[in-house]
Amino acid sequence: MRPGGARIRPGALPGIFTAFAGAGASQFRKRFLNSPPTMNAPDPVLRHLAALGLDRTQTVYYNLPPARLVELSVRRGEGRLTAGGPLATRTDPHTGRSPNDRFIVEEDTSKDDVAWGATNRPISEGAFDRIHDAMKRYATGRDVFVRDCYAGADPRYRVRVRIITEKAWHSMFAHNMFLRPATIEELEDFEPDYTVLDLCDFKATDQVNEELNSSTFVLLHLGRGLVLIGGTNYAGEIKKSVFSALNYRLPSQGVLPMHCSANEAVGGGNAAVFFGLSGTGKTTLSADASRVLIGDDEHGWSDEGVFNFEGGCYAKAIHLSAEGEPEIYATTKEFGTVAENVTLTPSREIDFDDATITENTRLSYPIDQIPNASASGIGGVPETVVFLTADAFGVLPPISRLTPDQAQYHFLSGYTAKVAGTERGVTEPKATFSACFGEPFMVLHPTRYAEMLGERIEQSGARVFLVNTGWTGGPYGTGSRMKLAWTRRMVNAALAGELDDVETTTEPVFGLAVPTAVEGVPDAVLQPRKTWDDSDAYDAKASQLADMFAENFEKYREQASEAVCAAGPTKETVA
């Protein structure tokens, strides 16, 4: 028994390996447990829960293995098993993040470093405490699931994270997405650097939400290392709140946190990072069977190299197919995968083309389900940096080489475009700018990360490319989407160094160095103006997009260097 009378459930079933004797036992531990079994929550865990005001909960489930979490999720009505093995869950009405409900506590230890504004909204410490108190009362008599894990594959920069949830499947999500302790001994003296308390069904009431926008909230107290989440079942809030904390913590340690995927050559070396917003091909292009996948979404770049923050992947599932993305599709036949907001056929098969619930259907799975995934999550210093954009205006070259100053400019811009029909009211291509290709998670001023990227590029000599995976031959509705085979060929050429010394021409509006030839790609495709039937229409559209870039960049002009400011399109160039 523990304080308050709550029971402690074991983290493993007695004799669980007996049924998996022989060679299959080690594979079972790797795939299905992947976190060491423990019969009781250690005393430090209980003391920490008591310090958080969670000493009157009903049952504490500590570091349960996936088999138990899936069993409990189904028993508690949180999800359904699919024909292939994954657990299907729903998070509606919140089928994505709630950026307007994310706040950072304005407190003495961090307030001078946070870039306050629409992204990082302030909330008072008093409001944070009142909401925390209300969550304590809500948790009384309820079960909680505690998972101890890590963020950061490199032990030199790793942080310890404790995820406390009221849903079993959220603990399963945390098991998949974060790095799992390798031994029981690691858990005995585990003291978290950050704690996430996610009581997803708790909604802030009128008495405690005077500084909130709704009953939903994601609150980061950077000084205490505590995150409070309520009013949303969307599991991505857990992952991104930890990412936000790392974006605050790591720069002071000389590590550039990045919203990117990363891979490297088989056998090591020639590491590359891929930045890109949703729909640009970040996951698809980095998941190359001929290379080793370091990670698909969040990484750090230190003096020693690049390392994954996570232990799993959170891939979009809409229109997924075995032909298009075979490695990701294979995870939908694995026990332990979590499938969010997918619809099921009567035979419990996942209908990947059904967006009835949302377009943002997701799969969460341990990265070792990808055959070519790195076992360590650590790679060398990146030799290639790729910025991916889906330009629906059809004016950016399919590939171009950037100078270090241009790299900072386009990193700060974080451009892509939404096409008609993706959102209500979007009837023509809409430019989207997200600083550092991940502005919603950047706690410091974007120029801080851009300067660090510039330093990393200078120190490493990394080549930088801007790759347009969007439209050619005209804008969306007139032109056509760039062929994936051409994009893969251009990216592979860039990674192999084939474009290091080739002849280039300077694109006149954005000043980009465009290769005149890439083996396997039609020459005309490389020069977007030549793909348009009406060159005057191209010039007008290019000028329009350049004006959008210039207008967006104004907010960085005071803090960015003169060289970086001059690296984008200018009014003189556009004219």
Side-chain angles (χ1 to χ4, degrees):
M1 300 294 287
R2 58 184 285 270
R7 295 170 293 159
I8 306 299
R9 288 290 177 89
L13 298 178
I16 195 167
F17 290 105
T18 303
F20 292 89
S26 61
Q27 181 62 24
F28 179 81
R29 170 184 279 276
K30 176 184 177 184
R31 181 70 72 192
F32 292 95
L33 291 184
N34 233 348
S35 60
T38 176
M39 296 306 296
N40 292 288
D43 287 341
V45 174
L46 303 182
R47 289 194 294 269
H48 184 228
L49 292 178
L52 291 172
L54 303 177
D55 52 354
R56 294 191 177 278
T57 55
Q58 175 63 29
T59 303
V60 173
Y61 295 91
Y62 181 69
N63 268 44
L64 292 186
R68 288 283 287 130
L69 289 171
V70 171
E71 178 185 65
L72 286 170
S73 296
V74 173
R75 184 185 298 171
R76 294 157 61 97
E78 299 174 6
R80 297 187 294 167
L81 282 177
T82 69
L87 177 71
T89 64
R90 292 183 63 158
T91 70
D92 48 327
H94 294 86
T95 57
R97 291 182 302 102
S98 301
N100 292 332
D101 296 310
R102 173 186 175 275
F103 296 84
I104 297 178
V105 176
E106 191 172 12
E107 49 90 24
D108 290 342
T109 66
S110 62
K111 66 181 182 180
D112 293 336
D113 297 318
V114 175
W116 301 107
T119 297
N120 299 314
R121 302 164 185 263
I123 190 172
S124 70
E125 202 157 25
F128 180 90
D129 288 339
R130 287 189 291 276
I131 293 169
H132 188 192
D133 287 343
M135 294 178 77
K136 297 174 190 177
R137 294 191 293 272
Y138 171 86
T140 299
R142 298 177 186 271
D143 298 340
V144 294
F145 295 81
V146 180
R147 168 138 257 108
D148 284 345
C149 44
Y150 299 113
D154 190 329
R156 289 165 292 197
Y157 308 106
R158 173 178 292 168
V159 299
R160 295 160 295 189
V161 182
R162 177 163 292 157
I163 310 293
I164 306 169
T165 66
E166 66 171 312
K167 294 289 179 70
W169 83 265
H170 276 174
S171 195
M172 182 73 205
F173 175 88
H175 170 274
N176 286 349
M177 297 310 303
F178 293 96
L179 293 157
R180 296 159 286 279
T183 66
I184 296 175
E185 287 70 27
E186 289 181 61
L187 295 173
E188 292 176 351
D189 57 355
F190 191 99
E191 295 184 8
D193 300 299
Y194 290 98
T195 299
V196 178
L197 175 58
D198 181 3
L199 303 182
C200 55
D201 287 341
F202 169 78
K203 294 178 173 58
T205 65
D206 293 338
Q207 287 72 41
V208 296
N209 74 352
E210 66 272 14
E211 295 184 37
L212 303 181
N213 290 326
S214 72
S215 59
T216 297
F217 57 88
V218 179
L219 311 180
L220 284 72
H221 195 306
L222 297 170
R224 297 183 196 171
L226 178 60
V227 178
L228 304 180
I229 300 175
T232 173
N233 274 272
Y234 185 66
E237 298 285 15
I238 300 173
K239 154 186 161 73
K240 290 305 184 186
S241 64
V242 174
F243 184 44
S244 294
L246 294 176
N247 284 326
Y248 170 74
R249 176 189 180 106
L250 291 180
S252 65
Q253 300 179 26
V255 175
L256 170 64
M258 304 176 293
H259 187 221
C260 70
S261 58
N263 64 22
E264 65 179 356
V266 175
N270 194 20
V273 293
F274 299 79
F275 294 89
L277 300 175
S278 179
T280 60
K282 177 166 57 97
T283 299
T284 300
L285 291 170
S286 62
D288 186 333
S290 67
R291 291 172 63 83
V292 175
L293 179 68
I294 299 171
D296 81 324
D297 194 50
E298 301 171 5
H299 294 81
W301 186 343
S302 70
D303 289 337
E304 296 81 13
V306 64
F307 62 94
N308 195 356
F309 287 166
E310 303 182 294
C313 300
Y314 195 38
K316 282 193 172 182
I318 195 68
H319 306 310
L320 182 68
S321 69
E323 297 74 26
E325 296 177 276
E327 293 87 3
I328 297 176
Y329 183 83
T331 70
T332 67
K333 306 301 179 184
E334 292 273 3
F335 179 85
T337 293
V338 176
E340 279 186 359
N341 297 315
V342 298
T343 59
L344 304 179
T345 67
S347 59
R348 293 284 183 92
E349 299 286 346
I350 298 174
D351 186 345
F352 292 105
D353 293 320
D354 191 333
T356 300
I357 303 173
T358 179
E359 284 274 343
N360 191 35
T361 54
R362 293 274 181 171
L363 300 172
S364 165
Y365 51 88
I367 195 171
D368 64 14
Q369 288 189 12
I370 300 297
N372 62 323
S374 167
S376 68
I378 301 174
V381 173
E383 298 180 21
T384 308
V385 175
V386 179
F387 297 154
L388 299 168
T389 179
D391 175 28
F393 294 90
V395 298
L396 289 179
I399 191 166
S400 52
R401 182 81 177 260
L402 303 182
T403 67
D405 290 330
Q406 286 176 323
Q408 289 193 54
Y409 182 94
H410 283 275
F411 185 63
L412 283 169
S413 298
Y415 164 71
T416 193
K418 296 177 182 177
V419 299
T422 56
E423 290 184 359
R424 184 180 301 174
V426 179
T427 58
E428 62 181 18
K430 180 181 178 181
T432 299
F433 296 94
S434 183
C436 311
F437 295 95
E439 186 171 7
F441 325 115
M442 302 300 154
V443 176
L444 310 180
H445 195 278
T447 54
R448 174 76 182 279
Y449 305 108
E451 289 167 0
M452 292 188 72
L453 178 65
E455 292 168 359
R456 290 293 177 209
I457 292 171
E458 182 178 359
Q459 293 167 0
S460 65
R463 53 179 85 91
V464 186
F465 293 91
L466 178 66
V467 173
N468 174 21
T469 62
W471 275 256
T472 182
Y476 173 81
T478 301
S480 58
R481 190 78 187 257
M482 195 72 63
K483 290 184 178 180
L484 178 58
W486 291 345
T487 300
R488 284 195 184 278
R489 174 79 275 274
M490 289 182 282
V491 168
N492 288 338
L495 298 182
E498 296 175 24
L499 307 183
D500 289 357
D501 300 311
V502 299
E503 180 183 356
T504 62
T505 60
T506 301
E507 186 277 334
V509 176
F510 293 86
L512 304 170
V514 182
T516 58
V518 177
E519 184 179 351
V521 180
D523 292 348
V525 172
L526 301 173
Q527 307 295 329
R529 192 172 189 269
K530 294 181 179 179
T531 67
W532 284 52
D533 294 333
D534 186 341
S535 57
D536 290 338
Y538 170 86
D539 293 339
K541 190 63 69 174
S543 178
Q544 177 188 359
L545 181 58
D547 284 341
M548 293 177 183
F549 265 86
E551 180 181 356
N552 172 73
F553 200 81
E554 282 300 314
K555 56 180 173 283
Y556 308 122
R557 191 166 295 279
E558 288 187 6
Q559 291 186 261
S561 70
E562 291 185 10
V564 171
C565 292
T570 65
K571 292 295 182 181
E572 290 76 19
T573 301
V574 175

